[in-house]
Short mmCIF file of all heavy atoms in Angstrom, two decimals:
data_model
loop_
_atom_site.label_atom_id
_atom_site.label_comp_id
_atom_site.label_asym_id
_atom_site.label_seq_id
_atom_site.Cartn_x
_atom_site.Cartn_y
_atom_site.Cartn_z
N LEU A 613 15.80 -21.62 -0.79
CA LEU A 613 14.89 -20.77 -1.29
C LEU A 613 14.64 -19.47 -0.50
O LEU A 613 14.58 -18.42 -1.06
CB LEU A 613 13.48 -21.47 -1.45
CG LEU A 613 13.44 -22.57 -2.60
CD1 LEU A 613 12.07 -23.26 -2.54
CD2 LEU A 613 13.60 -21.89 -4.01
N VAL A 614 14.51 -19.66 0.75
CA VAL A 614 14.35 -18.47 1.65
C VAL A 614 15.57 -17.55 1.60
O VAL A 614 15.57 -16.30 1.62
CB VAL A 614 14.15 -18.92 3.07
CG1 VAL A 614 14.03 -17.70 4.01
CG2 VAL A 614 12.84 -19.72 3.19
N TYR A 615 16.76 -18.16 1.54
CA TYR A 615 18.06 -17.50 1.41
C TYR A 615 18.08 -16.66 0.11
O TYR A 615 18.31 -15.38 0.11
CB TYR A 615 19.17 -18.45 1.53
CG TYR A 615 20.50 -17.96 1.33
CD1 TYR A 615 20.95 -16.69 1.80
CD2 TYR A 615 21.46 -18.70 0.53
CE1 TYR A 615 22.22 -16.20 1.68
CE2 TYR A 615 22.79 -18.15 0.35
CZ TYR A 615 23.14 -17.06 0.87
OH TYR A 615 24.41 -16.54 0.67
N ALA A 616 17.70 -17.32 -0.97
CA ALA A 616 17.78 -16.68 -2.19
C ALA A 616 16.74 -15.55 -2.27
O ALA A 616 16.95 -14.36 -2.86
CB ALA A 616 17.50 -17.71 -3.40
N GLY A 617 15.51 -15.88 -1.89
CA GLY A 617 14.44 -14.91 -1.84
C GLY A 617 14.74 -13.69 -0.98
O GLY A 617 14.50 -12.55 -1.32
N SER A 618 15.42 -13.92 0.16
CA SER A 618 15.84 -12.82 0.97
C SER A 618 16.87 -11.92 0.33
O SER A 618 16.87 -10.66 0.46
CB SER A 618 16.34 -13.33 2.35
OG SER A 618 15.40 -13.98 3.05
N ALA A 619 17.72 -12.48 -0.37
CA ALA A 619 18.80 -11.71 -1.17
C ALA A 619 18.15 -10.82 -2.27
O ALA A 619 18.47 -9.69 -2.33
CB ALA A 619 19.79 -12.65 -1.82
N VAL A 620 17.14 -11.37 -2.87
CA VAL A 620 16.36 -10.53 -3.91
C VAL A 620 15.62 -9.43 -3.13
O VAL A 620 15.60 -8.26 -3.69
CB VAL A 620 15.43 -11.47 -4.71
CG1 VAL A 620 14.51 -10.61 -5.58
CG2 VAL A 620 16.23 -12.49 -5.49
N GLY A 621 14.97 -9.78 -2.10
CA GLY A 621 14.13 -8.72 -1.30
C GLY A 621 15.11 -7.68 -0.85
O GLY A 621 14.80 -6.47 -0.86
N ALA A 622 16.40 -8.02 -0.37
CA ALA A 622 17.34 -6.95 0.07
C ALA A 622 17.75 -6.06 -1.11
O ALA A 622 17.82 -4.81 -0.94
CB ALA A 622 18.55 -7.55 0.64
N VAL A 623 17.90 -6.56 -2.24
CA VAL A 623 18.21 -5.81 -3.43
C VAL A 623 17.22 -4.84 -3.83
O VAL A 623 17.45 -3.76 -4.23
CB VAL A 623 18.64 -6.77 -4.70
CG1 VAL A 623 18.67 -5.94 -5.95
CG2 VAL A 623 20.00 -7.46 -4.42
N LEU A 624 16.01 -5.27 -3.63
CA LEU A 624 14.89 -4.37 -4.07
C LEU A 624 14.44 -3.45 -2.93
O LEU A 624 13.57 -2.61 -3.18
CB LEU A 624 13.67 -5.31 -4.42
CG LEU A 624 13.84 -6.17 -5.66
CD1 LEU A 624 12.69 -7.15 -5.84
CD2 LEU A 624 14.04 -5.33 -6.95
N ALA A 625 15.00 -3.51 -1.80
CA ALA A 625 14.60 -2.71 -0.65
C ALA A 625 14.88 -1.25 -0.85
O ALA A 625 16.02 -0.85 -1.31
CB ALA A 625 15.32 -3.16 0.64
N GLY A 626 13.90 -0.42 -0.67
CA GLY A 626 14.05 1.02 -0.89
C GLY A 626 14.32 1.78 0.46
O GLY A 626 14.42 2.99 0.39
N ASP A 627 14.23 1.06 1.58
CA ASP A 627 14.54 1.70 2.86
C ASP A 627 15.40 0.80 3.74
O ASP A 627 15.44 -0.44 3.44
CB ASP A 627 13.21 2.04 3.57
CG ASP A 627 12.48 0.70 4.03
OD1 ASP A 627 12.66 0.24 5.03
OD2 ASP A 627 11.61 0.29 3.09
N LEU A 628 15.95 1.31 4.77
CA LEU A 628 16.96 0.49 5.56
C LEU A 628 16.29 -0.47 6.45
O LEU A 628 16.85 -1.49 6.75
CB LEU A 628 17.85 1.44 6.34
CG LEU A 628 18.77 2.34 5.49
CD1 LEU A 628 19.47 3.44 6.38
CD2 LEU A 628 19.78 1.49 4.74
N LEU A 629 15.04 -0.24 6.86
CA LEU A 629 14.30 -1.16 7.65
C LEU A 629 13.99 -2.45 6.89
O LEU A 629 14.07 -3.60 7.49
CB LEU A 629 13.02 -0.62 8.31
CG LEU A 629 12.46 -1.32 9.48
CD1 LEU A 629 13.43 -1.60 10.60
CD2 LEU A 629 11.13 -0.55 9.92
N THR A 630 13.52 -2.28 5.65
CA THR A 630 13.15 -3.41 4.84
C THR A 630 14.50 -4.17 4.53
O THR A 630 14.53 -5.44 4.53
CB THR A 630 12.52 -2.88 3.51
OG1 THR A 630 11.25 -2.20 3.86
CG2 THR A 630 12.27 -4.16 2.62
#
Side-chain angles (χ1 to χ4, degrees):
L613 287 175
V614 174
Y615 175 42
S618 296
V620 173
V623 165
L624 294 174
D627 65 87
L628 293 172
L629 191 57
T630 300

